[in-house]
Amino acid sequence: MIYPIVVYGDPVLKKKARDIKKGEVDVRQLSEDMFETMHGASGVGLAAPQIGMSIRMFVVDASPMEDEELMDFRKVFINPVMLDEEGEPWPYEEGCLSIPHIREEITRKPDIRIRYFDENWEEHEESYDGIRARIIQHEYDHIEGILFTDYLSPFKKRMLKGKLQNISKGKTRVDYRIAVPLRK
Ligand code: NI
């Protein structure tokens, strides 16, 4: 099932999501639906708040980036805990399915360590770097209620204000189904 993607301006994107209790949600089904939704929108990551669910879960699949090294990076993260982020911060241009047509350079630390459950409720503790870490950090932010635009300078934010308002009003053309906060 493909969900509409919640866009900028919806309060669910600014809310810290809560942990999922085992058995409360069919996480296998939900992860399949999230992959389907994400692929339908050509994204490489999707967090539950982006389909209107304020729970701690996200999926990543970097295969659309067509980078051989990232081909097998397809994972489900449930109740993740970021244990460590370190190294010299580096800039990378990020985008977000909830903020269509806006891409900005965001600076983050390159090396992370994260603990999470997969869709079979098996626990993992793993380290990532580079683009993999970057995708995870962006999605992890979503379940913390943080958007990449939150990191921009006040000047940049003012520059983007009109564009962001248009997204919230549904005045942006997107080739996937969205849920627009101010159209309700
Ligand atoms: Ni995003």
Side-chain angles (χ1 to χ4, degrees), residues 16-87:
K16 187 174 165 139
R18 62 167 179 82
D19 272 338
I20 302 171
K21 291 185 201 85
K22 197 176 170 180
E24 167 197 19
V25 178
D26 182 347
V27 290
R28 277 205 198 182
Q29 182 60 52
L30 183 57
S31 60
E32 285 312 310
D33 289 346
M34 287 174 70
F35 277 122
E36 200 185 342
T37 301
M38 179 177 83
H39 291 143
S42 306
V44 295
L46 185 75
Q50 293 182 279
I51 54 166
M53 297 182 189
S54 192
I55 53 176
R56 297 179 75 81
M57 174 167 170
F58 60 82
V59 299
V60 301
D61 181 359
S63 55
M65 292 177 92
E66 288 176 3
D67 179 325
E68 241 171 73
E69 278 196 15
L70 296 170
M71 275 307 185
D72 59 344
F73 186 50
R74 184 188 194 273
K75 270 172 188 292
V76 179
F77 292 80
I78 295 165
N79 296 346
V81 178
M82 192 68 82
L83 300 172
D84 204 16
E85 289 177 276
E86 56 182 17

Side-chain angles (χ1 to χ4, degrees), residues 45-47 50 95-99 138-139 142 147-148:
L46 185 75
Q50 293 182 279
C96 182
L97 294 177
S98 294
I99 314 175
H138 177 109
E139 298 311 322
H142 273 301
L147 298 173
F148 77 80

